[in-house]
Amino acid sequence: MIVAGLLSVILSALFLPGIILRTKSIASGRKGPGIFQPYRDIAVLLKKDSVFSKTTGPLFRMAPAVSLATVICASFFIPLSRYGALFSFDGDFIFFSYILASGKFFSIIAALDTGSSFEGMGANREAFFSMLIEPAFFILMSTFIMATGSTSFKEIYENFTVTGNHIVIIFSIIGVLVLLQIALIETSRVPVDDPKTHLELTMIHEVMILDNCGFDKALIHISTYLKMAIYGLLIFNVTVPYNLGIIQQSAFLVLTQVLFAVTIGLVESFRARNKMNKNPKYILTVSAVAWIAFAIILIMTK
Amino acid sequence: MVNYLIVLFALTLVYFASTERIVNYIRLIGIQGLLLCGIALFELSEVNVLNLVLIAAETLLVKTFLMPYLLYRIVGNSGVTKVHRLAMPAFYTLLFSIFALLISVILADSMLNSFVSIVFMTTALFTIFVGLLLIITHRLIISHIIGFMVIENAVFLFSIAAGNRMPVLINIGILLDIFAGVLILGFFGLRLKSHSNELTKLKD
């Protein structure tokens, strides 16, 4: 079952965007589209050809494919509880983080490659916010490492809920809080960004992909959905006990992913997006919360 | 249980550093009062029942209800809703608060003794630093009052940590609370002129 993690990411990615869409429809009192509407849109996009601006070069053409490849690569390292990851080695979470970052790097330089001032602005914001959120992930992982004494995703999650220490619940709660916020920021959702916005001045991720269309845009959407599923699975791993049976694990996986999607949908329905100049503070708050978890583990190990 | 409440208390401090609305500060002061009441009830197992009831009632009435109510009145009278526009941006306050947290861990570790738990010591020190940050980086007197209250909560937290051995310390802490509540809010808070957003002098 070493592909359990990868399978869960793919299956979750199939449903997550639809559930978010349905939640938003129900919350705003609309009938709304079906659960697979995002994939119908992607199917339409996949049938279309890409049109490239004359100012863009080969970097722009390869960026969507590289971005999708990095996300797929990252999903190889995510375990599903005790059913291990496809690849696992000491310090794999660093590889995981930086392979996602390299995908983002390609998106950013592709946006700069277009020569558009709007896309440059979006790339600038994306780089800045990614830089701010990165410490939160690493501090959280450091906390988990100190709590479990392991340095790979697989071993961390194997030892996470069986340490016998009641304080692990605190790490679970802080882990969920921080990972949820990281997911919102990394997948460009409200309150930091808005996937439905159409004003270039307030856009972050969407403004970066203004020049992409057709097949390339479909790849970008797929990689965003996969990334969302990866973070959902990370949240599942810090909340659900490791020693449950396969049926219970599966039931909890479905429950966690549905709750994750519904939470994102509800946040987008009931919360306004932040003013752009408030975003750095918002993101730094996530890091500060992660530091609290780290301080707890520092004290505990005394 | 005490550990969970202390972690929640520490989280309120992070939000103290990140928010810029006075109403949020007041809500956080109320939440901190409630958390301190819970911490006192769970931690002070060796104190006699009458004293424990007094401590719980004080934290609940004064810290959770009375002080936030008075602060709401001050905000209502003065019309000040946000921190001063020249106050340090919350981004930097948050950065400083993260440093403060790490310094608190190091300091608490270096002052480790058998009387006070390191968890209490770290949180109390962190609370003092955040209170000082609020006072230093903000310009309005309301922020200063709130910063002082946060420091007061730190003193109370510290007294709870040593409370089982020195119950008198908690009562002194309570007296300080009531003294500060009456003095600070009465003298400074309630005398603020109405609808003055530019409070540059104490007499404003």
Side-chain angles (χ1 to χ4, degrees):
Chain A
M1 286 296 281
I2 53 167
V3 289
L6 182 62
L7 273 179
S8 337
V9 168
I10 294 167
L11 284 175
S12 309
L14 277 177
F15 296 98
L16 277 177
I19 297 173
I20 294 172
L21 216 57
R22 287 297 304 151
T23 310
K24 284 167 76 174
S25 309
I26 293 165
S28 57
R30 290 181 288 116
K31 194 180 170 200
I35 216 160
F36 290 108
Q37 187 58 42
Y39 285 95
R40 287 195 199 104
D41 294 344
I42 284 179
V44 171
L45 287 172
L46 284 172
K47 285 177 198 161
K48 291 182 179 178
D49 278 340
S50 295
V51 180
F52 298 107
S53 155
K54 284 175 187 169
T55 57
T56 55
L59 263 176
F60 181 81
R61 289 164 194 241
M62 65 190 273
V66 173
S67 182
L68 178 62
T70 54
V71 177
I72 293 173
C73 239
S75 64
F76 291 162
F77 295 88
I78 306 294
L80 174 72
S81 193
R82 64 183 153 171
Y83 308 102
L86 197 58
F87 298 118
S88 178
F89 52 85
D90 284 345
D92 60 1
F93 71 95
I94 299 173
F95 185 78
F96 164 84
S97 181
Y98 282 106
I99 200 149
L100 282 181
S102 59
K104 187 160 279 184
F105 169 75
F106 272 91
S107 309
I108 289 168
I109 54 169
L112 293 172
D113 196 31
T114 60
S116 152
S117 52
F118 277 129
E119 294 201 29
M121 190 177 65
N124 173 10
R125 287 171 179 167
E126 179 101 348
F128 181 49
F129 296 153
S130 302
M131 184 198 82
L132 284 178
I133 198 63
E134 202 175 86
F137 180 75
F138 280 109
I139 296 158
L140 189 72
M141 289 315 294
S142 310
T143 310
F144 292 166
I145 288 167
M146 285 183 76
T148 59
S150 315
T151 55
S152 74
F153 271 130
K154 184 175 171 289
E155 287 172 12
I156 286 171
Y157 292 136
E158 271 177 11
N159 299 326
F160 190 66
T161 47
V162 290
T163 48
N165 198 329
H166 69 280
I167 204 110
V168 83
I169 297 172
I170 293 177
F171 297 135
S172 271
I173 295 168
I174 293 182
V176 171
L177 188 69
V178 172
L179 287 170
L180 182 66
Q181 305 279 5
I182 294 175
L184 290 177
I185 294 158
E186 288 280 331
T187 57
S188 319
R189 314 296 305 199
V190 174
V192 171
D193 195 2
D194 187 355
K196 291 290 173 205
T197 184
H198 293 292
L199 176 63
E200 288 91 338
L201 281 171
T202 63
M203 290 151 83
I204 302 169
H205 183 73
E206 291 301 310
V207 77
M208 282 172 54
I209 56 169
L210 277 180
D211 271 33
N212 290 99
C213 61
F215 190 81
D216 285 352
K217 194 160 188 187
L219 295 187
I220 292 169
H221 284 320
I222 293 170
S223 53
T224 308
Y225 299 155
L226 280 174
K227 209 188 268 186
M228 207 184 291
I230 287 175
Y231 283 108
L233 203 58
L234 286 178
I235 291 174
F236 164 82
N237 281 328
V238 295
T239 45
V240 177
Y242 156 80
N243 42 11
L244 294 177
I246 179 84
I247 297 168
Q248 288 160 311
Q249 293 275 11
S250 311
F252 273 117
L253 174 69
V254 173
L255 187 70
T256 318
Q257 295 284 35
V258 169
L259 276 177
F260 174 58
V262 169
T263 309
I264 295 177
L266 289 176
V267 167
E268 295 200 354
S269 303
F270 294 104
R271 194 172 167 174
R273 59 175 288 171
N274 292 339
K275 278 166 77 178
M276 194 57 75
N277 60 354
K278 298 285 175 200
N279 275 336
K281 180 193 82 176
Y282 177 82
I283 299 171
L284 198 67
T285 310
V286 182
S287 293
V289 172
W291 275 111
I292 296 260
F294 191 67
I296 296 166
I297 198 74
L298 275 182
I299 295 167
M300 267 180 56
T301 47
K302 290 292 165 197
Chain B
M1 190 65 194
V2 175
N3 285 335
Y4 298 119
L5 294 176
I6 289 181
V7 171
L8 276 177
F9 190 88
L11 286 177
T12 61
L13 295 171
V14 170
Y15 287 101
F16 256 113
S18 74
T19 190
E20 287 177 336
R21 288 187 181 277
I22 304 288
V23 174
N24 289 344
Y25 285 131
I26 300 172
R27 283 179 193 148
L28 286 169
I29 286 276
I31 292 169
Q32 282 201 345
L34 203 62
L35 289 171
L36 283 175
C37 178
I39 293 168
L41 282 176
F42 283 106
E43 182 66 16
L44 302 174
S45 52
E46 292 166 31
V47 176
N48 71 56
V49 179
L50 194 66
N51 207 358
L52 188 62
V53 170
L54 177 77
I55 292 162
E58 187 274 338
T59 43
L60 206 61
L61 290 176
V62 178
K63 282 184 182 293
T64 315
F65 296 112
L66 184 65
M67 287 195 179
Y69 167 73
L70 287 173
L71 285 168
Y72 270 123
R73 270 196 61 185
I74 294 169
V75 170
N77 287 339
S78 62
V80 179
T81 53
K82 286 187 80 177
V83 294
H84 197 277
R85 65 180 191 284
L86 294 178
M88 182 184 278
F91 181 80
Y92 298 106
T93 324
L94 258 173
L95 269 182
F96 281 121
S97 75
I98 292 172
F99 282 120
L101 176 64
L102 294 180
I103 291 168
S104 311
V105 173
I106 295 163
L107 272 178
D109 184 44
S110 63
M111 293 193 290
L112 199 59
N113 60 55
S114 57
F115 298 105
V116 183
S117 143
I118 187 166
V119 179
F120 276 94
M121 183 97 90
T122 313
T123 319
L125 284 170
F126 182 37
T127 315
I128 288 175
F129 285 134
V130 171
L132 285 174
L133 260 178
L134 284 178
I135 292 172
I136 294 165
T137 59
H138 289 185
R139 300 187 124 201
L140 293 179
I141 196 155
I142 293 180
S143 302
H144 294 183
I145 293 171
I146 289 165
F148 185 80
M149 283 178 175
V150 172
I151 294 174
E152 212 180 82
N153 283 346
V155 174
F156 192 76
L157 194 65
F158 204 78
S159 67
I160 292 174
N164 280 330
R165 289 160 199 259
M166 292 179 274
V168 181
L169 196 65
I170 302 179
N171 295 335
I172 293 169
I174 291 173
L175 288 175
L176 175 73
D177 272 351
I178 295 169
F179 168 75
V182 174
L183 183 84
I184 302 287
L185 294 175
F187 270 80
F188 300 126
L190 296 174
R191 287 171 68 89
L192 289 175
K193 284 179 186 169
S194 59
H195 301 291
S196 48
N197 282 315
E198 284 288 332
L199 302 173
T200 51
K201 294 174 190 165
L202 203 59
K203 67 176 184 178
D204 281 340

